[in-house]
Amino acid sequence: MKLKSLFLISFIFVLLSSGFARPKVALVLSGGGAKGLAEIPLLEAIESEGIKPDMVLGTSMGALIGSLYAAGYSPKQIRETLVDMDYIKVLGEHPVSLERVTPDAFSAKGNFSLAVSFSLKRLKIGSAPGIIGDQNIIMELTNHLSRVLAVDDFDKLSIPFRCIATNVSTGEPIVLKSGSIVDAVRASISLPGIFTPAPLDNGVYAMDGGLRNNLPVQLARDMGADIIIAMDVASSVDTNPATLTDMATVAEQIISLIISSNAVEQYHLANIVLKPDLKKFSTADFFHPAEIVAAGEKCIEENRNAIHELALSISKQGYPLAVQDYDRVSDYNKLPDLKIRKIHIKNVSFTDDSPIPNEKDFAKYEGKILDEKTRNKLTRELKEKKKRYHLSNFNYSVEKIEGSDECDLIIKARYYDHNLNKAFFCANPSLSITNYPSQKWASINPATTTGICLVEPINAMLRFSTRNMITVDGSIFPEFAFFHGFKICGELAGEFKYGSLKPEKYFEFNEKLVDSDRGLVAKAGLLLKYSDMLSFRLGLANETDYLVSDEDWFTNTYAYNEIVFTTLHNSFSGLNGFQLESVFNVGKENRDFSEIKLNSSLHVAFEKRFEIQEEKTSIGFGASFSRNRFPYKLNVGYTDFGGIDGMCGYPLSTLKRDFLLSEISIRRKLFSFMGMPFHLVLLGKVGLSDDYDPFCDEAIPSEKFFGNDRQVEAGGGAYAAFATPLGNLVLGYSINTSNKWVITLALK
């Protein structure tokens, strides 16, 4: 009996001893941008040998791949996720969408295609310390790691995980082992000058960990690793001076030297270091993910025997090898999706307050399961509101409710200092081929606006515009009050106009005569503004115009009211939203300084878009109305009835006194090229308008509402729209029941 007890005790002791003696295996993955994709075959190789690491450590791209593996993703899932990812969409994002200048109703002058922000007081250019925004990459990480977002201790992941970042202020390495796994990876990938630095919860700004520790082998040893398997994809420095031909290659060479020095010195601490041949690829070469992975596969094949021998060696030391099914259901997929209990929005910016969305905008998500459908819908809404409120990022994390399958969704809003001066430029030129009598066969509109918008030392704006005339306008906006994102300002403005202030006349062979008319406008009033979504103007104006051809003066004094509300800044790329524009003017005209005449104009337009298929298809409804009784001899006495936004079949600058127009449109996103969407737009319109044409008719138009001959028309059109950095490049054709047609090429 004693012998049996002694044998049992000895057996248990051997088991315990062998358990304590079991070696710990660490997988260490280096940073290297796109070249980090070559590390995926290493995951597949060690699993094929039956090795499951006890810890995963990574830097930069190695941190991204390592986080997925530590969260429970299988190598097959990681390959499919990262090779098929749309890197142009994910990385082709501006760090912040600048607040536009105060919008003007029925005018392109208030918008811009290109802008540079700057501060005179702080002598800085740009509103963000980087050229790539992080909204898309954060949302990709968040959605792929949604089931482990509530894990705030990285030792509690499927495999314990660590990643490395660098403290921007001190240059010290940061070992991230707790908190938000998404924030940790985002910090580790922050390549300086490319990504903006990542703010951590403790107030520290972090940059790419490769600057200090691109291959954290020593850290693995410090964590108790006995066996270390490492791959270094970045320590290959180009020594040929002939290749250093531009600033980009020199910058990459410098970063490679820094990264290589802190990685190579740790090679001796690893049991095996794999170095794939990636000389023909750059850190930014996300255009060839499959080829980079293939280079990693080649490296694995060349070192297959060494990996196998290492597996046999650790097996003899008591490490249990267990080959996992490559096509298995991953540990990550076995985790449940949590149910959203409550939504909270936090402003986590380090700068002054700025307008952010309300929690009630997201209340519809409460009670829903955070599954793929909900995540996709939430991602689109966060991205749309990020642009609308000019945030640098707008993403979410979760806090799990103890003892339940519920969580609170924490939506975090962060922005940079976007309240800066701006120099801006926009172009809205168009070319139309049309059979419309007064403009056939060709109509050209070279519309451009260049300007500067100041917030320091004063709120002011100066613009230079060309269209059917040249205008120079300047305004100052003394600020009276600011509350909850709303600004109340004064508005003192002046504008000088030169060119045809009356409708341009067309003569034989379509020759155009542009007079050297001159006009001066002065305005004084109040402006209520909310970001660039709402502007409400109210005030008094005086306009004095001189028509050269008529040798006549027109002087108008009037009260003006203008309203713009828009969430459709990019009407072709934005698939949902609302826009309202309204102008109401009333005043008196004194042409010869004796006769007094009452003038008025009212123009209202709105459009509402509904998304009917996720980020693909939308349907829109709109209407516009105009009644203009300003002097009929002047351009200001008419409203544009044509163009892409007007009645089908009419070119831009088709002028009418009275019209009523309704429309329905369908927009379908067909594809994206380099992150820029391509849309097909189909539209139908019905309009009632007066029949007076200021280009051709010599008679005086009637002052009655629709007092001239009325015409009812219906029309349809089709447009292709490609969103470019300069604006939407639009090409299309439209026709109406009066057999008027137009082919339009425009930048809108």
Side-chain angles (χ1 to χ4, degrees):
M1 196 68 174
K2 291 182 179 179
L3 186 61
K4 288 182 179 179
S5 300
L6 183 61
F7 176 79
L8 181 60
I9 293 171
S10 300
F11 180 72
I12 294 173
F13 179 77
V14 170
L15 287 178
L16 292 174
S17 298
S18 62
F20 285 123
R22 174 190 178 281
K24 289 185 177 181
V25 177
L27 175 65
V28 179
L29 304 175
S30 80
K35 293 188 286 187
L37 296 172
E39 294 168 327
I40 296 173
L42 177 58
L43 308 180
E44 299 167 334
I46 61 174
E47 283 206 354
S48 69
E49 296 290 342
I51 301 172
K52 182 178 180 180
D54 298 285
M55 62 189 78
V56 177
L57 300 89
T59 298
S60 198
M61 192 63 174
L64 192 156
I65 294 172
S67 69
L68 295 174
Y69 194 49
Y73 273 77
S74 69
K76 180 182 179 181
Q77 279 181 297
I78 295 173
R79 177 188 281 260
E80 291 173 348
T81 299
L82 296 183
V83 172
D84 296 337
M85 186 174 287
D86 185 351
Y87 289 99
I88 300 300
K89 178 182 177 181
V90 171
L91 300 176
E93 179 190 17
H94 295 294
V96 64
S97 56
L98 287 174
E99 184 175 311
R100 298 176 180 227
V101 299
T102 305
D104 296 343
F106 308 107
S107 171
K109 286 201 243 180
N111 299 326
F112 55 73
S113 301
L114 300 176
V116 176
S117 58
F118 63 95
S119 171
L120 297 173
K121 187 183 299 183
R122 286 166 286 172
L123 297 177
K124 63 175 285 188
I125 296 177
S127 59
I131 61 175
I132 293 180
D134 59 4
Q135 176 74 11
N136 290 340
I137 187 66
I138 286 178
M139 292 314 303
E140 285 287 338
L141 287 168
T142 301
N143 290 335
H144 283 102
L145 294 169
S146 64
R147 294 176 179 175
V148 297
L149 291 180
V151 179
D152 58 4
D153 181 352
F154 298 168
D155 284 337
K156 295 180 180 179
L157 294 169
S158 178
I159 305 174
F161 173 67
R162 298 289 187 274
C163 68
I164 309 298
T166 302
N167 188 314
V168 173
S169 301
T170 65
E172 294 298 315
I174 304 171
V175 179
L176 297 162
K177 59 181 180 180
S178 62
S180 164
I181 188 170
V182 171
D183 288 350
V185 175
R186 166 63 180 92
S188 187
I189 65 173
S190 305
L191 192 65
I194 306 299
F195 275 112
T196 57
L200 300 177
D201 289 339
N202 59 2
V204 170
Y205 269 103
M207 295 179 70
D208 196 298
L211 296 174
R212 288 304 308 269
N213 193 356
N214 200 50
L215 192 71
V217 178
Q218 179 65 62
L219 177 60
R221 288 291 182 197
D222 295 341
M223 291 175 61
D226 302 296
I227 305 296
I228 297 177
I229 302 170
M231 179 173 276
D232 186 2
V233 298
S235 297
S236 56
V237 180
D238 196 335
T239 57
N240 183 3
T243 63
L244 306 178
T245 58
D246 54 47
M247 185 165 50
T249 56
V250 171
E252 185 170 354
Q253 174 78 350
I254 293 171
I255 293 174
S256 295
L257 288 169
I258 296 171
I259 289 174
S260 296
S261 63
N262 67 52
V264 174
E265 65 185 16
Q266 299 183 65
Y267 279 4
H268 70 282
L269 298 172
N271 295 80
I272 183 171
V273 178
L274 304 174
K275 292 187 61 178
D277 183 3
L278 300 168
K279 289 187 177 65
K280 68 177 183 178
F281 302 106
S282 70
T283 56
D285 201 351
F286 287 98
F287 295 97
H288 305 96
E291 290 90 331
I292 294 174
V293 172
E297 291 172 340
K298 182 179 179 182
C299 176
I300 293 299
E301 287 306 312
E302 292 171 348
N303 292 274
R304 180 70 68 180
N305 290 336
I307 297 171
H308 181 67
E309 290 298 326
L310 181 62
L312 293 178
S313 173
I314 62 175
S315 176
K316 292 177 181 178
Q317 299 176 49
Y319 187 96
L321 299 178
V323 177
Q324 301 186 71
D325 183 4
Y326 185 70
D327 297 316
R328 69 183 183 275
V329 176
S330 70
D331 292 343
Y332 180 83
N333 282 0
K334 296 175 184 176
L335 297 173
D337 288 315
L338 298 176
K339 183 179 180 180
I340 301 171
R341 186 189 71 165
K342 191 73 177 172
I343 303 286
H344 304 279
I345 294 184
K346 293 183 178 180
N347 189 342
V348 294
S349 305
F350 293 157
T351 52
D352 296 334
D353 286 341
S354 181
I356 62 173
N358 295 315
E359 290 177 354
K360 65 180 180 180
D361 295 337
F362 296 90
K364 57 181 174 286
Y365 292 100
E366 293 178 356
K368 290 191 174 183
I369 302 297
L370 193 59
D371 55 15
E372 183 177 6
K373 182 179 179 180
T374 300
R375 292 196 304 268
N376 289 341
K377 185 176 180 180
L378 178 60
T379 296
R380 292 194 306 273
E381 188 162 355
L382 290 172
K383 184 175 180 180
E384 185 271 328
K385 282 188 166 57
K386 177 246 181 184
K387 290 183 178 179
R388 184 181 300 180
Y389 287 86
H390 311 288
L391 304 169
S392 60
N393 57 58
F394 195 41
N395 55 77
Y396 68 91
S397 60
V398 303
E399 290 182 359
K400 193 174 185 301
I401 308 303
E402 286 295 331
S404 75
D405 61 351
E406 292 186 319
C407 69
D408 283 352
L409 201 68
I410 313 300
I411 300 179
K412 298 176 287 186
R414 180 175 287 117
Y415 57 88
Y416 291 107
D417 186 7
H418 53 72
N419 191 27
L420 299 174
N421 302 322
K422 304 175 202 49
F424 60 90
F425 170 80
C426 69
N428 302 103
S430 65
L431 168 64
S432 299
I433 308 298
T434 180
N435 69 343
Y436 183 53
S438 62
Q439 297 193 49
K440 72 176 186 184
W441 294 98
S443 176
I444 300 174
N445 179 15
T448 62
T449 300
T450 304
I452 184 169
C453 182
L454 298 176
V455 296
E456 57 177 43
I458 59 171
N459 286 297
M461 182 169 60
L462 179 66
R463 295 182 295 195
F464 176 84
S465 303
T466 61
R467 194 168 177 178
N468 62 318
M469 70 185 81
I470 295 173
T471 63
V472 179
D473 65 277
S475 309
I476 60 173
F477 306 99
E479 188 174 317
F480 299 145
F482 180 85
F483 58 96
H484 300 296
F486 288 89
K487 287 183 180 180
I488 298 179
C489 307
E491 181 177 34
L492 300 173
E495 180 180 31
F496 173 73
K497 301 185 286 187
Y498 180 83
S500 288
L501 302 186
K502 66 177 182 178
E504 299 161 330
K505 292 291 184 180
Y506 290 77
F507 295 94
E508 193 175 5
F509 304 116
N510 220 35
E511 182 182 352
K512 203 186 290 187
L513 175 66
V514 180
D515 290 328
S516 300
D517 302 330
R518 293 175 291 279
L520 188 64
V521 184
K523 291 183 178 181
L526 291 175
L527 167 65
L528 172 66
K529 182 182 178 225
Y530 184 80
S531 185
D532 58 359
M533 290 181 280
L534 171 68
S535 68
F536 178 91
R537 286 182 165 95
L538 183 67
L540 295 173
N542 179 270
E543 180 171 355
T544 301
D545 300 321
Y546 179 70
L547 303 183
V548 173
S549 59
D550 293 356
E551 297 183 351
D552 198 0
W553 287 87
F554 287 83
T555 300
N556 300 290
T557 301
Y558 56 93
Y560 65 89
N561 171 242
E562 180 180 305
I563 302 171
V564 176
F565 175 77
T566 180
T567 58
L568 281 171
H569 287 302
N570 190 333
S571 61
F572 281 92
S573 296
L575 291 179
N576 61 71
F578 179 79
Q579 179 161 314
L580 169 69
E581 298 177 272
S582 171
V583 169
F584 177 67
N585 300 320
V586 59
K588 291 188 175 182
E589 172 196 348
N590 189 347
R591 293 183 56 193
D592 57 6
F593 303 103
S594 60
E595 179 187 358
I596 296 178
K597 180 181 177 183
L598 184 66
N599 292 320
S600 66
S601 70
L602 174 63
H603 189 187
V604 181
F606 76 89
E607 179 186 3
K608 173 64 179 176
R609 302 210 65 79
F610 301 91
E611 190 174 86
I612 58 177
Q613 186 181 5
E614 299 176 356
E615 261 193 331
K616 289 286 187 181
T617 309
S618 69
I619 185 169
F621 302 92
S624 57
F625 168 80
S626 176
R627 185 185 188 278
N628 199 326
R629 291 300 178 270
F630 265 54
Y632 75 92
K633 283 195 173 184
L634 297 175
N635 291 326
V636 294
Y638 303 87
T639 308
D640 201 335
F641 183 62
I644 295 172
D645 296 321
M647 183 62 196
C648 296
Y650 289 95
L652 195 67
S653 299
T654 300
L655 303 182
K656 297 288 184 182
R657 302 273 278 178
D658 303 322
F659 66 78
L660 179 62
L661 181 65
S662 63
E663 69 170 75
I664 182 172
S665 63
I666 296 176
R667 293 178 185 168
R668 171 74 177 179
K669 179 181 173 182
L670 299 181
F671 61 87
S672 289
F673 176 72
M674 298 186 69
M676 298 179 291
F678 184 91
H679 289 82
L680 175 65
V681 183
L682 302 177
L683 51 85
K685 301 192 180 187
V686 177
L688 170 67
S689 66
D690 70 271
D691 198 28
Y692 184 79
D693 187 343
F695 293 134
C696 301
D697 297 340
E698 297 293 339
I700 297 175
S702 170
E703 292 294 313
K704 295 181 180 180
F705 186 42
F706 286 105
N708 303 288
D709 291 338
R710 304 180 188 182
Q711 57 182 10
V712 178
E713 296 169 299
Y719 295 92
F722 183 53
T724 73
L726 287 176
N728 293 287
L729 183 62
V730 182
L731 175 64
Y733 172 81
S734 68
I735 190 170
N736 62 42
T737 52
S738 298
N739 202 32
K740 299 182 180 71
W741 56 264
V742 61
I743 299 171
T744 300
L745 176 64
L747 194 63
K748 184 179 184 297

